[in-house]
Amino acid sequence: MALQDVIVTIDLVKPSGLVGGLGKPLIVTQKTGESKYKTYSDISDVSPDFETTTEAYKKAAAIFAQPNRPATLAIATYDPAGTEVTTAAAAVEKYYEGDWFFVVTAGLELTDEIAVADYVEGKSFKFYSVKTVDVESRNAFKTKNYKRVIDFYHPTPGEHPDAALVGELGSQQVGENTWKFKTLTGITPIDINAAELAAIHEDGAIAYVTKTGVGQTSEGFTVSGEFIDLLHGQAWVKANMESSIQGILMNNKRVTMDSRGIALLDSAATTVLQQAFNQGIIAADVEGNPVYTVSTLSADEIPDDERAERIYNGLSFSYQQSGGIHSANVKGQILV
């Protein structure tokens, strides 16, 4: 586990330098030999390590083919015949603290994909994007009701929308995009009717379809029905809040346990939330103002034992997510 002095916990309440995009993809694949983790900046860098016929290369090619591709991706390997990292899930665990945020897997059986999904879900921060090709595999993920697994149903052989999706959207500015309506390079829309698409969505999966003559993602949610952009935004706030407050503690000779030190923490939290508002993560009220609050306990309200241990538990914040419009019903009138 990464070392840190600041831990931010966000509870989602549903009504009746900043960290970057949080979008670097990780490809996990089988390869003989010692497990390795390596970063690549272009598809030409991948071919010396993975043949163009391998699933790992094809996933990387799908990521780098997107117009809004990430600057880099990583590939981690495992060897079932090895002695240490023998499964894909073990590789995700070993390299979890790396700078990647979306994991895709190459050439796995369904049981191994479920094991990766279980691990990622248990950590409650990063995402797993997986391709399914039939109802059985869709149901295997739906049964678990994963919040941080993106199930992309696409029975077309040789195409990798799970990789293309995170390649196109993962590294764009968090808060800027919904993950619905998006066109993916190199992915062919599947030919289905409305009832078939509804069944796919009911299984917690998304698809790539044609609407108004344009290929696009049919939805933007994870298996549990949570919207990817909202979860991504929550992760951005958590990561940046931790980073900013840690920076205050590190970059000052001493942060005093009084009004001066508390004001520094308040300012750091407010800066992060204002940036989140500017990016579209946080909603605006009817007057266009950001809907967030930052609260602090005064120095006099700090319990003696916490003061003695130099722990400040008095900072809290809340915000309203901006959400998004995914459909609309429009009424018209004809005047005669």
Side-chain angles (χ1 to χ4, degrees), residues 25 27 58-60 62-63 66 104 129 160-168:
I27 300 168
K58 294 174 182 178
K59 298 282 186 185
I63 291 170
Q66 304 311 309
V104 297
S129 180
H160 303 277
D162 53 330
L165 181 72
V166 299
E168 172 63 14

Side-chain angles (χ1 to χ4, degrees), residues 237-253:
V237 172
K238 173 181 167 63
N240 283 282
M241 195 67 73
E242 291 176 348
S243 176
S244 293
I245 296 175
Q246 182 76 35
I248 293 294
L249 300 177
M250 291 173 56
N251 297 326
N252 286 274
K253 292 183 178 180

Side-chain angles (χ1 to χ4, degrees), residues 203-316:
D203 288 342
I206 66 174
Y208 197 65
V209 298
T210 300
K211 292 184 180 179
T212 62
V214 179
Q216 57 192 270
T217 52
S218 67
E219 255 303 346
F221 50 57
T222 64
V223 173
S224 68
E226 299 279 350
F227 291 107
I228 302 167
D229 60 315
L230 298 186
L231 294 173
H232 205 190
Q234 292 169 28
W236 188 96
V237 172
K238 173 181 167 63
N240 283 282
M241 195 67 73
E242 291 176 348
S243 176
S244 293
I245 296 175
Q246 182 76 35
I248 293 294
L249 300 177
M250 291 173 56
N251 297 326
N252 286 274
K253 292 183 178 180
R254 181 162 61 98
V255 177
T256 54
M257 185 73 83
D258 58 18
S259 59
R260 296 168 297 176
I262 294 170
L264 289 174
L265 302 183
D266 184 303
S267 176
T270 300
T271 296
V272 170
L273 295 177
Q274 184 61 45
Q275 180 64 34
F277 171 72
N278 294 341
Q279 292 184 197
I281 296 171
I282 293 177
D285 63 18
V286 294
E287 296 179 347
N289 299 312
V291 185
Y292 67 77
T293 61
V294 178
S295 301
T296 57
L297 294 179
S298 68
D300 293 340
E301 296 174 289
I302 306 302
D304 290 340
D305 59 336
E306 293 179 13
R307 182 186 295 277
E309 295 178 12
R310 299 196 170 192
I311 299 173
Y312 181 72
N313 290 323
L315 178 65
S316 62

Side-chain angles (χ1 to χ4, degrees), residues 15-320:
S16 220
L18 298 174
V19 176
L22 293 181
K24 181 178 178 179
L26 169 68
I27 300 168
V28 175
T29 189
Q30 178 179 333
K31 187 176 185 181
T32 302
E34 182 182 357
S35 175
K36 294 181 180 179
Y37 177 100
K38 185 176 178 180
T39 294
Y40 301 86
S41 58
D42 192 80
I43 191 62
S44 61
D45 300 329
V46 177
S47 53
D49 294 332
F50 297 93
E51 296 289 340
T52 58
T53 55
T54 62
E55 289 293 293
Y57 180 90
K58 294 174 182 178
K59 298 282 186 185
I63 291 170
F64 280 137
Q66 304 311 309
N68 293 293
R69 50 154 281 182
T72 61
L73 61 78
I75 301 180
T77 63
Y78 66 95
D79 184 358
T83 58
E84 183 185 359
V85 183
T86 59
T87 66
V92 174
E93 180 178 7
K94 179 179 177 64
Y95 301 112
Y96 189 83
E97 299 300 339
D99 61 350
W100 61 273
F101 197 73
F102 294 92
V103 61
V104 297
T105 52
L108 267 62
E109 297 294 330
L110 179 58
T111 54
D112 294 319
E113 291 173 339
I114 293 296
V116 171
D118 285 343
Y119 184 82
V120 172
E121 186 76 7
K123 301 295 285 185
S124 299
F125 186 61
K126 299 183 178 184
F127 289 88
Y128 177 30
S129 180
V130 62
K131 173 185 173 181
T132 56
V133 297
D134 52 37
V135 175
E136 178 187 4
S137 54
R138 290 199 325 241
N139 286 340
F141 289 101
K142 180 58 178 176
T143 299
K144 296 293 191 84
N145 202 37
Y146 294 115
K147 184 177 180 179
R148 296 191 173 273
V149 175
I150 305 165
D151 179 357
F152 208 131
Y153 173 73
H154 197 73
T156 307
E159 294 186 354
H160 303 277
D162 53 330
L165 181 72
V166 299
E168 172 63 14
L169 292 166
S171 292
Q172 294 192 55
Q173 180 171 276
V174 181
E176 184 177 49
N177 281 300
T178 176
W179 290 51
K180 186 179 179 179
F181 312 115
K182 297 304 183 286
T183 297
L184 304 177
T185 299
I187 307 302
T188 306
I190 59 176
D191 185 14
I192 55 174
N193 59 37
E196 291 169 325
L197 180 58
I200 292 169
H201 289 170
E202 182 65 25
D203 288 342
I206 66 174
Y208 197 65
V209 298
T210 300
K211 292 184 180 179
T212 62
V214 179
Q216 57 192 270
T217 52
S218 67
E219 255 303 346
F221 50 57
T222 64
V223 173
S224 68
E226 299 279 350
F227 291 107
I228 302 167
D229 60 315
L230 298 186
L231 294 173
H232 205 190
Q234 292 169 28
W236 188 96
V237 172
K238 173 181 167 63
N240 283 282
M241 195 67 73
E242 291 176 348
S243 176
S244 293
I245 296 175
Q246 182 76 35
I248 293 294
L249 300 177
M250 291 173 56
N251 297 326
N252 286 274
K253 292 183 178 180
R254 181 162 61 98
V255 177
T256 54
M257 185 73 83
D258 58 18
S259 59
R260 296 168 297 176
I262 294 170
L264 289 174
L265 302 183
D266 184 303
S267 176
T270 300
T271 296
V272 170
L273 295 177
Q274 184 61 45
Q275 180 64 34
F277 171 72
N278 294 341
Q279 292 184 197
I281 296 171
I282 293 177
D285 63 18
V286 294
E287 296 179 347
N289 299 312
V291 185
Y292 67 77
T293 61
V294 178
S295 301
T296 57
L297 294 179
S298 68
D300 293 340
E301 296 174 289
I302 306 302
D304 290 340
D305 59 336
E306 293 179 13
R307 182 186 295 277
E309 295 178 12
R310 299 196 170 192
I311 299 173
Y312 181 72
N313 290 323
L315 178 65
S316 62
F317 65 90
S318 65
Y319 66 88
Q320 181 179 325

